[in-house]
């Protein structure tokens, strides 16, 4: 059962302790994000003011070690903070989430690499793509990397990148699947993202041609998925013992939860002043059908939040007491993430039905929320059918592995 926690809220102080309750600095950040959200969506990129607000909020430091000026928080905090950001702007929240969780990924590499990434700049922003769409050939002291990596959210604002690749032996045979750390300055970035939703994330395409990657900036994905990586050897560093697959899946849910809440709040507010067309109701709020639809959507969102918070608490507790999650628990969490995402989408669909055709006006925030949520929920890590298959196999005692992201 998930423990009850006061939500983490907004800006994070230097000592790493999350603020609770309403904080004026957090409200200022959300106000800036909210004011620029529609313009960001139209422009297909985050405004300079939004980028600065995200930097000031220091969300990118959320999962960075304290020794480098980070907050070294936990998965629960990540989902909560990014949900709050998404109530203002889904794209900004997604980029903030990507920087935070990919910074966490960078901390799993050998200490020499961690020092390179964070030692000189605590505000380092690591973007990346885990899909192994690159190829690395052996070279003296490391590897030569080439490839293209699509959907690198926040790419234009990144200082480093974590990229998925297949390591090959001298004969060209695949030796391992890995993540590699590369300075963003050594990569090209092609503007390719033009999505229907999450438009301002600039989820563009990194590309590299024969870039040298030293051996200490390479991390085996199969090993990491089983908790075997350099950071796991350091006692007292609970955050970096967190289950690999569940961390990379559940992080995606935070912005979705916030988008769902934003849609609910908007429809409730409008229901108090908007008439129900072709009825005697001067306010939607007075109609039983609207009351029932809003109640249904609210419960679906609560169910999604409960599942994600319960799963995040399970991951955090397992790391805290150094008790690795069982394969069955990881399979269940993968399915829960996809199921929760579907609950958010269903709630938003009900809210659009309630609000009416005005939901799709170009000036309506609701249509942007709907587009953002539907795009985010199609991330490969949230595809429900894969999660259900993984969980179903687990329930039936089938040990076949179909994904390392479990």
């Amino acid at each position: 059962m998930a423990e009850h926690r006061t939500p983490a809220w907004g800006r994070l102080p230097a000592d790493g302790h999350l603020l609770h309750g309403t904080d004026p600095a957090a409200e200022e950040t959300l106000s800036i994000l909210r004011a620029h959200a529609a313009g960001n969506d139209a422009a297909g990129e985050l405004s300079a003011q939004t980028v600065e607000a995200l930097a000031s909020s220091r969300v990118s430091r959320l999962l960075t070690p304290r020794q480098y000026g980070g907050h070294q928080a936990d998965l629960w905090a990540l989902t909560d903070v990014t949900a709050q950001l998404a109530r203002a702007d889904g794209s900004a929240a997604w980029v903030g989430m990507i920087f935070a969780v990919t910074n966490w990924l960078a901390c799993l590499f050998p200490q020499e690499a961690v020092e390179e990434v964070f030692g000189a700049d605590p505000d380092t922003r690591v973007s990346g793509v885990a899909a192994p769409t690159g190829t690395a050939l052996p070279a003296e002291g490391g590897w030569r990397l080439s490839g293209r990596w699509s959907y690198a959210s926040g790419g234009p604002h990144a200082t480093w990148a974590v990229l998925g690749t297949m390591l090959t032996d001298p004969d060209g045979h695949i030796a391992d699947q890995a993540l590699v750390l590369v300075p963003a300055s050594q990569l090209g970035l092609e503007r390719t993202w033009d999505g229907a939703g999450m438009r301002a994330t600039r989820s563009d395409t990194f590309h590299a041609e024969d870039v040298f990657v030293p051996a200490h900036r390479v991390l085996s994905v199969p090993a990491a998925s089983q908790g075997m990586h350099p950071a796991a050897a350091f006692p007292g560093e609970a955050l970096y013992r967190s289950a690999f697959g569940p961390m990379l899946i559940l992080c995606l849910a935070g912005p979705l939860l916030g988008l769902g809440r934003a849609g609910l709040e908007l429809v409730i507010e409008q229901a108090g002043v908007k008439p129900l067309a072709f009825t005697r109701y001067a306010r939607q709020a007075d109609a039983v059908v609207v009351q029932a639809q809003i109640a249904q959507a609210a419960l679906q969102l609560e169910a999604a939040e409960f599942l994600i918070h319960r799963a995040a608490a399970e991951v955090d507790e397992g790391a805290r007491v150094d008790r690795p999650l069982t394969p069955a628990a990881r399979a269940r969490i993968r399915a829960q993430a996809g199921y929760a995402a579907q609950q958010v989408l269903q709630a938003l669909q009900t809210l659009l039905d309630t609000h009416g055709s005005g939901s799709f006006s170009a000036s309506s925030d609701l249509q942007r929320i709907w587009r953002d949520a539907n795009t985010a929920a199609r991330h490969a890590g949230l595809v429900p059918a894969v999660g259900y298959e993984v969980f179903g196999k687990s329930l039936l005692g089938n040990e076949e592995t179909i994904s390392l992201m479990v």
Side-chain angles (χ1 to χ4, degrees):
M1 198 71 158
E3 62 180 289
H4 174 74
R5 293 193 193 181
T6 304
W9 180 265
R11 193 175 299 216
L12 308 173
D15 64 5
H17 297 294
L18 301 179
L19 295 179
H20 299 306
T22 301
D23 171 49
E27 292 294 349
E28 179 186 355
T29 296
L30 297 181
S31 178
I32 294 171
L33 264 56
R34 195 174 289 113
H36 288 266
N40 292 343
D41 179 74
E45 59 187 353
L46 299 180
S47 67
Q49 295 91 333
T50 301
V51 173
E52 176 57 32
L54 281 177
S56 297
S57 76
R58 298 169 71 187
V59 64
S60 65
R61 296 195 190 191
L62 194 60
L63 305 182
T64 301
R66 291 191 185 96
Q67 71 183 87
Y68 297 112
H71 308 300
Q72 202 166 326
D74 56 23
L75 180 56
W76 180 299
L78 176 64
T79 57
D80 184 65
V81 169
T82 55
Q84 299 294 354
L85 294 174
R87 292 168 86 160
D89 182 356
S91 286
W94 189 266
V95 170
M97 176 273 293
I98 289 294
F99 287 156
V101 78
T102 318
N103 280 9
W104 173 83
L105 259 182
C107 295
L108 306 188
F109 284 72
Q111 186 60 36
E112 184 179 355
V114 177
E115 180 65 29
E116 282 182 300
V117 174
F118 298 105
D121 182 9
D123 286 314
T124 287
R125 297 178 297 273
V126 186
S127 180
V129 179
T133 54
T135 301
L137 301 174
E140 184 177 354
W143 303 82
R144 308 297 304 191
L145 176 73
S146 298
R148 292 174 61 84
W149 297 267
S150 294
Y151 311 129
S153 300
H157 314 292
T159 48
W160 285 78
V162 167
L163 303 172
T165 190
M166 304 305 285
L167 305 180
T168 63
D169 63 23
D171 296 323
H173 301 121
I174 293 174
D176 199 1
Q177 179 179 335
L179 296 172
V180 297
L181 264 170
V182 184
S185 59
Q186 295 181 9
L187 300 168
L189 183 65
E190 182 180 346
R191 185 158 189 171
T192 55
W193 178 246
D194 188 21
M198 290 290 180
R199 289 182 47 76
T201 59
R202 284 295 302 272
S203 300
D204 294 329
T205 301
F206 279 129
H207 55 89
E209 185 65 40
D210 200 35
V211 171
F212 178 71
V213 180
H216 66 270
R217 288 204 246 119
V218 178
L219 183 75
S220 169
V221 172
S225 71
Q226 298 302 313
M228 295 179 291
H229 50 74
F234 292 97
E237 302 295 335
L239 174 61
Y240 309 108
R241 292 197 302 266
S242 301
F244 183 81
M247 281 288 291
L248 298 183
I249 297 299
L250 290 172
C251 68
L252 307 170
L256 266 172
L257 297 180
L259 286 164
R261 280 289 159 187
L264 179 65
E265 291 162 1
L266 188 154
V267 172
I268 288 175
E269 178 185 2
Q270 290 294 306
V273 296
K274 190 176 187 291
L276 188 60
F278 300 115
T279 75
R280 62 180 176 81
Y281 291 112
R283 302 188 325 149
Q284 286 185 331
D286 296 326
V288 173
V289 63
V290 171
Q291 295 162 0
Q293 286 176 314
I294 286 179
Q296 177 185 343
L299 289 171
Q300 287 174 316
L301 292 174
E302 284 196 20
E305 290 165 357
F306 175 81
L307 284 172
I308 296 303
H309 287 159
R310 179 182 186 273
E314 189 173 356
V315 172
D316 291 339
E317 177 65 8
R320 187 183 68 82
V321 301
D322 197 12
R323 184 181 63 237
L325 297 183
T326 65
R330 298 200 306 269
R332 172 174 43 77
I333 287 171
R334 174 66 189 261
Q336 285 175 327
Y339 183 81
Q342 293 304 301
Q343 292 301 301
V344 173
L345 295 189
Q346 290 173 27
L348 285 171
Q349 186 61 53
T350 298
L351 292 168
L352 263 73
D353 292 341
T354 301
H355 193 64
S357 59
S359 303
F360 295 94
S361 168
S363 62
S364 170
D365 287 338
L366 193 55
Q367 53 82 22
R368 174 170 45 81
I369 291 167
W370 176 74
R371 288 187 287 106
D372 284 351
N374 273 272
T375 300
R378 267 68 183 190
H379 188 286
L382 295 174
V383 173
V386 173
Y388 299 162
E389 180 179 352
V390 168
F391 188 35
K393 287 183 186 305
S394 173
L395 291 172
L396 294 168
N398 185 331
E399 297 181 359
E400 179 184 4
T401 300
I402 67 168
S403 172
L404 293 175
M405 293 300 172
V406 176

